[in-house]
Each structure stands twice: as C-alpha cells, then as structure tokens.
Amino acid sequence: MNRSCLAIILAAGEGTRMKSALPKVLHKIAGLPLVCHVVRQVQSAGVDEIAIVVGRGADEVSSAVKNVSARAQFFTQNLRLGTAHAALEARELLKKDYDDVLVVFGDTPLVQTASLKRARQELEDGADIVVLGFETENPTGYGRLIQEGGKLKAIVEEKDATADQKKIKFCNGGIMAINGKYALSLLEQVKNDNAKKEYYLTDIVSIGVAQGLDVTAISIPFENVIGVNTRVELAQAEALWQKRKADELMLSGVTLLRPETVYFSYDTEIANDVVIEPNVYFGQNVKVETGAVIHAFSHLEGAIVEAQAEIGPFARLRPGAIVENSAKVGNFCEIKKAKIGEGAKVNHLTYIGDAEIGRHTNIGAGTITCNYDGFNKWKTIIGENAFIGSNSALVAPVEIGDGAYVASGSVITDKVPANGVAFGRARQSNKEGYAATLRERFSSIKNKDG
Ligand code: UD1
Ligand code: MG
C-alpha cells in the first residue's frame, strides 16, 4: 500500500469500571498490557506514525508502550473529555496530511492487523470514514450502528440510545479509518451535547454523512474487537486470546491434549511435534523445541526446552533454565538460571539454581544446590557423566568434576575431582543385637507426662 498512514491509539481513559489502582490499558492478557497488544497489531498494518494518547498513569503507560514500540509518540490528555477530544490531542500529527488516519482504542486488545488493513483498503477504494462493527447478541455498553438503506448514518452510544435503538445488535468495535483530508476538521466539529457531556469520536459519522462524505461500516467478528471495560470482559478477552493461540499452535503441528487448560504468554514459542499435557502454564519468554514433551501441571517461565527434552509432571522452570536436548526434569523439580546438559536427568524432588550440569549426568532424588548464603548467590558446576546420590546438598560455590560420584545424603562443600568419589556424611555403624537392650531400657523409663 502506497498511502501514508497515521494511527492514533487512545489510552487515556479513567477505566473506572475496572475498579483498579492500575490504569485500565495496563491490565494484561497473555502477560502483555492491553495497549501493547494494540500497538503490536497497529505496527504491522503499515503505519508511518503512531500517536498514543495517554492520561491516567501516563508515565507507566508510556514506558509499557516503549517496550514494544521504539517509534510511538505520546500525547497527554489532561482532561478526560471523551474519545474525540482524546484523538484531537494528536492535532500536530493530524495536520500533516496523511492519506489515512486510523483511530484505535487501547482497550480492544484482540484487534488484528488484517482488520486494520481491510479498513485502509476501504479508504483506498473511496470511502471517507470506515467503522469496524460487529454483531452480538449482547450489545449492552457498545455504541449502536444506525443504518438506513444499508448505509451507516450515525452511531448512538448506549446512554443516549432510545429503547428501539438499544435493540440493535450491530455495534461499534471502536476502530475507525478516516480519510486524512477530513480527519482534523471532522473531529473539530464534534460537540458534547449528549448524556455524558463528552466529545464522542463516534459523532464524526453523522457529521460526515451531513457533509455528504462516503461513510461505511464493515462487519468483523466480535472476537477481534471485544472491548475491555470490566474484569469480566478482561477474562473474556483472555479466553478468546488463549483459544486463538492454542488453535494457531495446533495448526502449526503442536499437540495439546486439552487445549483449554493450557495458558500461553503472548511470546510463547513452541515448535512442531511438541506434546503438551493438560494444565501447563507458560509465563513470558519460553521456547520449546521440536519433539519435547511437557507433562501435566508444569509451570515454565523464561526457559528454553530443547528438542526431545521432557519436563514434568509438576515441574517448575524459572527464568534462565535451559534444558538441553533429550534431558529430563521430572516431578517436583525446580530449575532456576541453570543449564541441564544434553541427556542429563533431574528426575525427582530437586532444586537446581545457579548451576551448570554436564551431559548425561544423573542428579538423584532430593538433591539441592544450596546457592544462597543469605547475602549472595553462588554457582554449582557439575561435569559430564557424573552421579549425584539422592538427598545430597551441594553447597555453592562448588565444582564436581566429570564422571565423579557423590554418595547419597552428602553435604558437599569442597570441589570433587573428576572421577573421584565424595562421601560427605557420617559413616554408618551397626551394633549387633543392641535393639533388645534399647527396648528394655526405654520401657523401664516412666515419663511423668505419659
Ligand atoms: C467506546 C465507543 C463505543 C464503542 C466501544 C467499543 C465512543 C464515544 N464510544 O465506548 O461506541 O462501542 O468503545 O469498545 O467512542 N479514552 C481516552 N480519553 C477519553 C475517553 C476515552 O483516551 O477522554 C480512551 C480509553 O482509554 C479507551 C478508549 O478511549 O481506551 C475508549 O474509551 P471507553 O471509555 O472505554 O469507551 P467505551 O464506553 O467502551
Ligand atoms: Mg471501552
């Protein structure tokens, strides 16, 4: 598309219906603030400039947006006088004669690049104002699209709608594409003579119609324009996003045994032929390579699971965990900032933190890397083909060489050389027949509380 485009994202609203100390657009779905979802989709729609109108929590909103867009520009709306008033805060950019102006709300996180491109295509085909609408059985709260003879005439907000208008099920999705020639003047003509005494962006429709502009509405699925105003809608948007992600992954070759029970982050990357069992949680920044299996009830965050590796059930991978090819991390194991080498096994009840474990090493049940002394974190380095006996405490900083063997129940505080055996525990001593003597002695003692 050769047309120039300005996108204005409105994110200054109070968000009172969220009943939250956090600005509405910073509430998250899939681990990413609502407004950042919008910014990411808008960026891919071939826009030249992005204006973000901020108000409540301006600093926090701006810094969240900067994490996903280096080129967004910020405009502050000091008084929250409505969506048209908010869009006009970007006046300086509206004056620049863009071919297309997109106005998108920061609280519609499921908007898709394809819908934005479609609206721009309508402009290219001759429309002056394009409204993205949707059909719903439950239109309460949304602006209703009033059509006459198949043409869009006006948008009426819930609070201003008559009983008959409230029955209309074709609603405003909150995304508009406007011919850049008219955008500024249309917005400047909006008045606030309505129930909320606000300057409604939606009024540019009737203003445009009165001026003889070509105004049109296109219908897109509700799933793409759900607006988040309450925590109920936040949960609905999250569920829709998760369903979309799960479908996308399955179509790309990932097996999800119970897709509706798995939680993904916006950036979760999973290769084909990975199998994911029920009730798995992916926090931010997780990558799973082909053929790996994630068993039920595992919790992963900031981790890389390489090809054919196996995680869980009930495993926790924390940031910095790297589980190399064909390695295994089993039930009730926690891995933090640690590399588990190719083919190594950490199968039961273990904590490995700030560590490197070499290829094909076996870590016995209940092994703990004691990485923290109350002040600093220290590293444990274990070589290849080593064997750590069950219930060992490895007190870092400590090194265990290739092929070394640590006896079960050891507390290891010093380096174990390659191929050495370390016993870090008291030796067992047996007293033949002594049990009978003990029993006699204990039975003759009378405990005064007993
Ligand atoms: C708005 C639309 C409605 C549409 C719905 C879709 C208007 C008047 N109404 O209603 O037709 O069906 O979205 O979700 O446009 N904002 C500002 N400054 C303001 C007011 C709002 O930046 O002064 C921002 C908010 O942060 C939000 C967006 O604009 O991201 C929409 O505002 P909101 O109050 O949620 O409008 P709705 O009542 O949902
Ligand atoms: Mg809204």
Side-chain angles (χ1 to χ4, degrees), residues 286-308:
V286 175
K287 194 171 171 204
V288 183
E289 294 178 1
T290 189
V293 179
I294 314 292
H295 293 288
F297 295 98
S298 293
H299 189 286
L300 298 82
E301 197 183 351
I304 297 174
V305 177
E306 291 188 359
Q308 320 297 335

Side-chain angles (χ1 to χ4, degrees), residues 10-15 17 24-25 53 77 79-86 105-108 134 141-144 155-157 171-174 196 198-202 225-229:
L10 307 187
E14 295 290 342
R17 288 166 279 179
K24 173 169 76 176
V25 295
V53 181
Q77 186 193 24
L79 293 172
R80 244 69 77 209
L81 300 181
T83 44
H85 177 263
F105 293 164
D107 70 348
T108 52
F134 63 94
Y142 289 102
R144 308 300 203 284
I155 302 180
V156 178
E157 289 304 300
C171 298
N172 175 20
K196 284 170 88 179
E198 280 189 6
Y199 296 87
Y200 290 158
L201 170 66
T202 43
V225 281
I226 181 173
V228 173
N229 301 299

